[in-house]
């Protein structure tokens, strides 16, 4: 299995969990995502994008990282270019690091949809900011290692059929959830969290190190 971490320009908090997740992964930085490299203790094998968010200090600090420069007027985001580069290098698992937050809500939303597309195409995907994680959900069952009381939500990206939640404060059994419903927001882990979905697509967003409550 070839695991790649894509450094994106969103928020990042380095946690022991995140450090374990990226351990041994090959790293590609997308534009200003290079700023996370030092905090994570990694050296990217490629730095790609149009560099419209890169300053002279970043260039100097990472002068030895190979660069693939793209024009500003292009039909892909820097993050998508980095993901494509990982796939061309044989990635079977992709961590989108810095996928949440930042100044561009549209980019953060695109990262969610990109994660689902990767999963649909057979590439395992995890989105993370350290404080938040996103895992695409397609038909089938997945189990998670979150501690009790970890807050999580399931965001439907279509109508969901046969959604079952076990190991949750508010469990569900073969429930239909319409697209846009808030039914599956702000749940909590209570035991071993398992999610089963018969049809549809969704994103599980969890807060593994946060005490945040809605």
């Amino acid at each position: 299995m070839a695991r790649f971490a894509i450094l994106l320009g969103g928020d990042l908090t380095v946690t022991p969990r995140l450090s374990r997740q990226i351990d041994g992964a090959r790293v590609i930085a997308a534009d200003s995502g290079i700023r996370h490299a030092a905090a994570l203790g990694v050296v990217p094998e490629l730095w790609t994008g149009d560099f419209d968010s890169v300053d002279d200090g970043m260039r100097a600090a990472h002068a030895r990282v190979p660069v693939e420069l793209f024009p500003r007027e292009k039909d892909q985001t820097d993050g998508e270019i980095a993901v494509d580069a990982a796939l061309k290098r044989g990635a079977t698992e992709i961590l989108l690091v810095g996928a949440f937050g930042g100044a561009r809500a549209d980019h953060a939303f695109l990262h969610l949809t990109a994660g689902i597309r990767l999963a649909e195409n057979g590439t395992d995907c995890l989105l993370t900011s350290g404080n938040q994680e996103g895992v695409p959900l397609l038909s089938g069952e997945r189990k998670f290692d979150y501690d009790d009381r970890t807050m999580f939500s399931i965001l439907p990206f279509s109508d969901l059929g046969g959604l079952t939640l076990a190991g949750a404060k508010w469990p569900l059994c073969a429930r239909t959830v319409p697209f846009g419903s808030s039914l599956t927001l702000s749940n909590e882990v209570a035991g071993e969290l398992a999610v089963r979905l018969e049809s549809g697509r969704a994103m599980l967003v969890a807060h593994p190190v946060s005490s945040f409550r809605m």
Side-chain angles (χ1 to χ4, degrees), residues 2 5 20 22 42 71-72 89 113 115 120 144 176-177 188 191 202 207:
R20 291 193 300 270
I22 68 168
V42 298
R72 292 189 178 185
R89 287 163 170 76
T113 59
E120 289 181 325
F144 299 89
T176 296
V177 182
E188 290 183 8
H207 302 257

Side-chain angles (χ1 to χ4, degrees), residues 28-168:
I28 295 175
D31 202 87
S32 64
I34 193 78
R35 73 183 191 275
H36 299 314
L40 292 167
V42 298
V43 177
E45 65 182 65
L46 178 67
W47 186 9
T48 189
D50 58 20
F51 286 32
D52 64 344
S53 302
V54 172
D55 59 31
D56 291 341
M58 291 180 186
R59 290 177 185 270
H62 304 282
R64 295 186 179 182
V65 177
V67 167
E68 188 176 32
L69 184 63
F70 285 78
R72 292 189 178 185
E73 295 184 0
K74 59 189 188 306
D75 56 6
Q76 289 180 294
T77 65
D78 298 323
E80 187 174 20
I81 289 170
V83 167
D84 285 348
L87 293 173
K88 288 175 182 177
R89 287 163 170 76
T92 56
E93 181 181 358
I94 290 181
L95 311 177
L96 297 178
V97 180
F100 297 98
R104 295 286 301 272
D106 50 349
H107 281 218
F109 177 80
L110 179 66
H111 297 153
L112 296 175
T113 59
I116 291 174
R117 185 179 71 172
L118 284 167
E120 289 181 325
N121 290 334
T123 303
D124 288 342
C125 185
L126 172 72
L127 295 77
T128 180
S129 67
N131 287 328
Q132 296 184 81
E133 293 182 1
V135 181
L137 299 174
L138 305 176
S139 58
E141 183 175 18
R142 295 199 61 156
K143 295 182 179 180
F144 299 89
D145 64 348
Y146 297 124
D147 293 335
D148 281 358
R149 301 200 64 188
T150 297
M151 193 189 84
F152 74 93
S153 297
I154 293 178
L155 308 179
F157 279 77
S158 70
D159 292 340
L160 305 182
L163 176 64
T164 297
L165 298 179

